[in-house]
Amino acid sequence: MAKCVRNLDKGLVQLTLPLTSLPTAGLPAGSLRRRDAVQEAFRAALDRSGLTREYVANELSRLTGDSISIHHINNWTAESKAAERRIPLDYLAALGLILGDAGILQAALPAGWLGLTPEGAAVYEYGRLAVEERRRGRKKRELLERINGGREGS
C-alpha cells in the first residue's frame, strides 16, 4: 500500500515587525554592555565584605552546588581577564547573599531597573501601598464631592 503524504503547509508566513516598534529600538548598540560594571561591582563588594576569596569560593560552591575555586574568583576579578572571564548570571544571587551586597546585581541591570534586598523590597512595597492609599483618598474625596453635589459646607 502506498503511503499517503499530507501537505501540512497552509501557506502561513511569519510577519516581521518594524524595528521601530520594538522596545529596544531607541537604544544605541552596546548600551547594555554590563560586563565591566559587574566586574567592578564584584571587586568592590568583595573588598567591602572583608571576606577572603577562598571563603567566598567555598560558600559559593556550597550554595550553588557547582565546584567554584579561588581561581574562578581571581579570574572574575582580574582586570586583565575582563573580556574572557565573566561571572555567570546564576551566581549573582548567591554572591549578593554571601557578600551582603546587592550592588553586583544592580550593576548587571540596565539603568532605571532595581535589584532589591529583601529589606529594600519591603520598603518598596510599603511605599507602593502608601501611594495607593493616597490615590484612594483622593478618589474618595472626589466621589464625596459628587455625591454631595458640591454642597461641601452645608
Side-chain angles (χ1 to χ4, degrees):
M1 192 174 218
K3 290 187 176 182
C4 179
V5 178
R6 296 189 319 179
N7 185 7
L8 298 176
D9 184 15
K10 303 290 186 203
L12 299 176
V13 178
Q14 179 176 354
L15 299 175
T16 57
L17 295 172
L19 290 178
T20 56
S21 68
L22 298 175
T24 57
L27 296 175
S31 65
L32 293 180
R33 179 186 163 136
R34 308 303 308 150
R35 177 181 24 204
D36 297 332
V38 168
Q39 186 186 43
E40 185 178 320
F42 181 42
R43 278 195 305 266
L46 191 58
D47 290 343
R48 281 191 300 269
S49 74
L51 300 173
T52 66
R53 293 171 184 231
E54 185 176 14
Y55 175 81
V56 172
N58 289 337
E59 191 64 7
L60 188 58
S61 295
R62 186 182 74 79
L63 292 174
T64 63
D66 294 339
S67 178
I68 309 296
S69 70
I70 191 170
H71 301 295
H72 287 99
I73 305 295
N74 290 335
N75 285 334
W76 293 337
T77 57
E79 289 184 35
S80 61
K81 301 197 179 197
E84 62 214 39
R85 305 291 182 168
R86 297 182 186 192
I87 302 169
L89 177 63
D90 50 332
Y91 295 162
L92 290 183
L95 284 170
L97 288 172
I98 294 166
L99 300 173
D101 193 328
I104 304 166
L105 178 60
Q106 190 61 43
L109 297 173
W113 288 61
L114 294 176
L116 300 172
T117 62
E119 296 82 17
V123 170
Y124 171 81
E125 182 68 15
Y126 182 82
R128 193 179 65 73
L129 290 173
V131 168
E132 283 179 19
E133 287 173 5
R134 285 181 124 177
R135 285 186 185 144
R136 273 194 230 116
R138 278 191 220 122
K139 185 70 174 174
K140 284 179 178 180
R141 282 191 299 278
E142 289 172 10
L143 290 172
L144 226 104
E145 287 175 13
R146 285 178 42 198
I147 290 170
N148 291 333
R151 300 173 300 188
E152 191 68 28
S154 335

